[in-house]
Amino acid sequence: MNTLLKKEIQTDAEKYGDDRRSPIVERAEAKAMTERDLVPSEPITVVLSEKGWIRHAKGHDVDASSLNYKAGDKFLASARGKSNQPAVFLGSDGRSYSLESHSLPSARSQGEPITGRLNINAGTSIRQVVMGEESQLWLVGSDAGYGFVCKGSDLLSKNRSGKALVTLPQGAEVITPSTVGDLDSDEILAITNQGRMLLFPIKDLPQLGKGKGNKIINIPSAKAKAREEFVSHLMSLPQGATITLYAGKRKLGLKPADLDNFRGERGRRGGLLPRGLQRVTRIEIDSGDMVSDESQD
């Protein structure tokens, strides 16, 4: 009887059988969802005041400088991002801190002091705020003329005490990080407060997780220590971009061919801008498909 059953099953399998229709798929181990995973992805603007008060407003069309601030306080910096992205804050000591942006108080209020959420070293102030994807590349450095490229994930810290990010030479300050579009073709644009300007390929800088970085533009050590000369603008410039430099009411437009006069090797002194345009206060970048505005803090 057993033999008969086996033969009938084998006969039916050969006659009616086909390949498995429900494939076996190996999946990754299930993980608990975080609060950020449940937050909707909406455009927001995070605002930082001079006294270190923080808040967030919905949307990107926010005039942060016109918000209501406490007596004696004023606008310092802002960053545009998404509600499910952390906000990264940089201290004057070169440390970086991160907070969930959706948890910050609404811009309808005056916000709350950042010292209530973070352990910030005495004598340190929060000077910049940035937002972006963890895979986004950033140009980070000090106004002493040093810098490096890092990922957005390198800026994040899970600790209230933050993490060491930029090693600052004596008397130097952190420059507001600038996004990098293409490591292969972007250039670094560095301008000092005395009107020295230098451009060179961004791929000449190392990609690090933290540190001092390499020399971007040469500033005499005596002038750097006395803060007679320092980097006032540091950013990544797309290939083929046109820039407009503003110095008060005066401005100077520079096309890609004009910028050749300021291109050189990393760490060089750079070229001197024309008289009357050496105190650059604002830079407008036209990359062909978009225009961005970089203002001095």
Side-chain angles (χ1 to χ4, degrees):
M1 184 62 70
N2 288 337
T3 301
L4 178 61
L5 287 172
K6 284 192 292 184
K7 287 182 177 181
E8 287 183 347
I9 292 173
Q10 289 172 347
T11 301
D12 287 343
E14 293 174 359
K15 185 176 181 179
Y16 302 108
D18 56 12
D19 294 335
R20 183 181 181 93
R21 298 187 181 184
S22 55
I24 298 176
V25 179
E26 183 177 353
R27 302 190 183 280
E29 180 183 357
K31 296 182 179 179
M33 297 183 70
T34 64
E35 183 182 358
R36 190 190 303 172
D37 296 327
L38 303 176
V39 174
S41 178
E42 299 175 340
I44 64 170
T45 301
V46 174
V47 182
L48 171 68
S49 78
E50 182 73 36
K51 300 292 186 181
W53 284 60
I54 51 175
R55 48 185 156 166
H56 85 276
K58 291 184 178 181
H60 288 167
D61 298 327
V62 179
D63 184 2
S65 60
S66 66
L67 295 176
N68 185 29
Y69 293 87
K70 295 180 70 68
D73 202 0
K74 62 181 180 179
F75 168 77
L76 175 62
S78 65
R80 296 172 180 172
K82 299 177 181 178
S83 53
N84 58 353
Q85 292 174 337
V88 175
F89 300 89
L90 299 181
S92 56
D93 57 354
R95 297 184 72 83
S96 67
Y97 309 81
S98 52
L99 293 171
E100 295 296 340
S101 58
H102 65 268
S103 70
L104 302 180
S106 168
R108 289 191 294 268
S109 68
Q110 293 179 330
E112 66 180 62
I114 196 170
T115 50
R117 298 196 179 207
L118 300 173
N119 297 330
I120 300 174
N121 294 330
T124 298
S125 59
I126 301 299
R127 307 308 299 168
Q128 291 95 17
V129 55
V130 297
M131 295 180 71
E133 300 288 348
E134 292 187 16
S135 59
Q136 170 70 57
L137 293 176
W138 293 87
L139 171 60
V140 179
S142 68
D143 64 4
Y146 293 85
F148 57 92
V149 175
C150 69
K151 291 183 178 179
S153 56
D154 296 323
L155 304 177
L156 303 178
S157 172
K158 296 181 180 179
N159 302 322
R160 285 174 56 95
S161 300
K163 60 177 287 189
L165 179 66
V166 182
T167 303
L168 297 173
Q170 182 179 354
E173 296 180 3
V174 180
I175 288 280
T176 301
S178 169
T179 56
V180 177
D182 191 329
L183 269 180
D184 294 323
S185 62
D186 280 12
E187 292 183 298
I188 288 180
L189 171 65
I191 302 177
T192 73
N193 65 319
Q194 292 192 359
R196 292 279 179 177
M197 187 168 89
L198 177 67
L199 284 93
F200 64 88
I202 198 168
K203 59 186 177 183
D204 291 351
L205 272 189
Q207 186 170 329
L208 306 171
K210 62 178 181 179
K212 181 179 179 179
N214 288 5
K215 181 176 287 188
I216 292 175
I217 186 169
N218 184 23
I219 298 176
S221 58
K223 288 188 175 183
K225 289 182 179 179
R227 290 196 66 77
E228 291 180 19
E229 186 175 4
F230 52 85
V231 176
S232 57
H233 297 273
L234 179 64
M235 65 194 68
S236 176
L237 195 66
Q239 186 178 37
T242 295
I243 67 171
T244 303
L245 305 179
Y246 292 85
K249 295 182 179 180
R250 302 190 65 181
K251 67 178 182 178
L252 174 66
L254 295 171
K255 297 180 179 179
D258 302 324
L259 294 174
D260 288 340
N261 298 323
F262 300 94
R263 288 189 170 92
E265 296 180 359
R266 178 187 63 78
R268 292 302 179 92
R269 192 75 175 100
L272 192 62
L273 290 167
R275 182 172 296 180
L277 286 157
Q278 295 174 358
R279 300 284 181 176
V280 177
T281 54
R282 184 164 66 91
I283 302 176
E284 190 176 272
I285 303 172
D286 184 355
S287 60
D289 55 351
M290 65 177 294
V291 176
S292 62
D293 195 347
E294 301 285 345
S295 300
Q296 187 177 30
D297 292 340

